Amino acid sequence: MAEARSEADVTPEAEASSEAEATPGGQATPGGEASSEAEATPEGQASSEGQASSAADASSEGEATPEGKAEQSALALIDDSELKGALEAILLVVDEPVTEIVLAQILEQPTERIAATLVTVAEGYTAAGHGFDLRKVAGGWRLYTRPEYAPYVERFVLDGQSVRLTQAALETLAVVAYKQPVTRSRISAIRGVNCDGVIRTLVSRGLVEECGTEPESGAFLYRTTTLFLEKLGMNSVNDLPPLAPFLPDDVEEIADANQ
């Protein structure tokens, strides 16, 4: 009986102790696993975030690289000598004055640099005494022969043949240039003769063009063209010489054309 009681007493305590010992151990194991998982999770997240950040950075760099290269390509600065040569090559093949903006777009250079280089080139031609010069005409730049060599150029180009405007055409063109925009009736009133045929001739030659209608009468308005400025070697009609010194004092109607 004593042995049975001792076994009975010992067994529950032992089992309780064993369970108590086992329980912390058992709890420790899940806790350890939880702790491991808890520790592993932030590290895993941190690792994942690090990889994601690296990937994002790499992606950003990958996206930025083409843009950076494109920007560098667009802003690539060539040296002054190469830029001068490129401008000269383009100006030799143009058939009308080309603007600084167009040249800047073609050469992918700042407009300010193109403008400064053109001025430098023009001054260099003048200083060197070349038979041609670079001028800004009708809002653009183009190479021209120098006026002092015009007789030789005319002899070569015309070879004794010349097509000139008639006196009536020159007078009509002068009225349009100084009074533009102007109607045909106004031109006829200033000249004292009908000018419809002369206007058609000037339009066909590209020296005069229509530019709208007069609000009161609905008559067509006329003005000079870019070709007109190019032929006269002027940048704008503001470069036209004053007309009054060339007019008789008693011709008030024509003198009004200069106002």
Side-chain angles (χ1 to χ4, degrees):
M1 295 294 292
E3 292 177 358
R5 185 179 294 110
S6 59
E7 289 177 359
D9 294 338
V10 171
T11 300
E13 293 177 0
E15 291 177 355
S17 176
S18 299
E19 290 175 0
E21 292 176 358
T23 299
Q27 292 176 352
T29 301
E33 292 175 356
S35 175
S36 300
E37 291 176 357
E39 294 175 359
T41 300
E43 292 177 359
Q45 291 177 352
S47 176
S48 300
E49 291 175 358
Q51 293 176 355
S53 176
S54 300
D57 293 341
S59 176
S60 300
E61 292 176 359
E63 294 176 357
T65 301
E67 295 177 358
K69 290 181 177 179
E71 184 177 357
Q72 291 177 358
S73 175
L75 299 177
L77 297 178
I78 58 179
D79 57 45
D80 293 340
S81 177
E82 184 177 359
L83 179 59
K84 176 184 175 182
L87 288 172
E88 290 176 330
I90 294 173
L91 291 169
L92 280 172
V93 299
V94 299
D95 56 359
E96 61 183 13
V98 58
T99 64
E100 298 165 358
I101 296 177
V102 172
L103 292 171
Q105 292 174 345
I106 294 174
L107 299 177
E108 297 183 343
Q109 296 297 312
T111 305
E112 295 78 8
R113 188 186 183 199
I114 294 295
T117 304
L118 289 169
V119 172
T120 301
V121 171
E123 292 174 349
Y125 290 161
T126 301
H130 290 301
F132 57 89
D133 63 350
L134 179 60
R135 281 182 263 164
K136 189 173 184 179
V137 173
W141 292 82
R142 188 178 179 184
L143 292 171
Y144 289 87
T145 56
R146 293 193 181 277
E148 53 265 36
Y149 303 111
Y152 305 104
V153 177
E154 290 177 359
R155 188 184 306 171
F156 173 78
V157 174
L158 301 178
D159 191 20
Q161 299 180 1
S162 177
V163 178
R164 298 179 181 275
L165 292 175
T166 64
Q167 184 66 28
L170 288 173
E171 292 176 2
T172 302
L173 183 58
V175 173
V176 174
Y178 282 95
K179 288 290 293 180
Q180 61 184 312
V182 61
T183 63
R184 285 184 294 180
S185 61
R186 179 62 173 165
I187 299 171
S188 298
I190 293 175
R191 293 194 60 237
V193 295
N194 186 284
C195 64
D196 291 354
V198 179
I199 287 292
R200 286 194 294 270
T201 299
L202 294 174
V203 171
S204 66
R205 294 198 177 187
L207 298 174
V208 170
E209 64 182 0
E210 295 180 0
C211 61
T213 58
E214 190 177 48
E216 294 80 6
S217 64
F220 288 111
L221 294 170
Y222 293 88
R223 65 183 178 189
T224 55
T225 63
T226 302
L227 179 62
F228 169 79
L229 295 174
E230 183 180 345
K231 293 296 184 181
L232 294 186
M234 297 185 299
N235 192 41
S236 72
V237 292
N238 295 327
D239 297 332
L240 287 168
L243 185 59
F246 301 96
L247 298 175
D249 295 336
D250 57 346
V251 185
E252 297 179 358
E253 182 66 24
I254 302 178
D256 182 62
N258 192 39
Q259 297 179 359

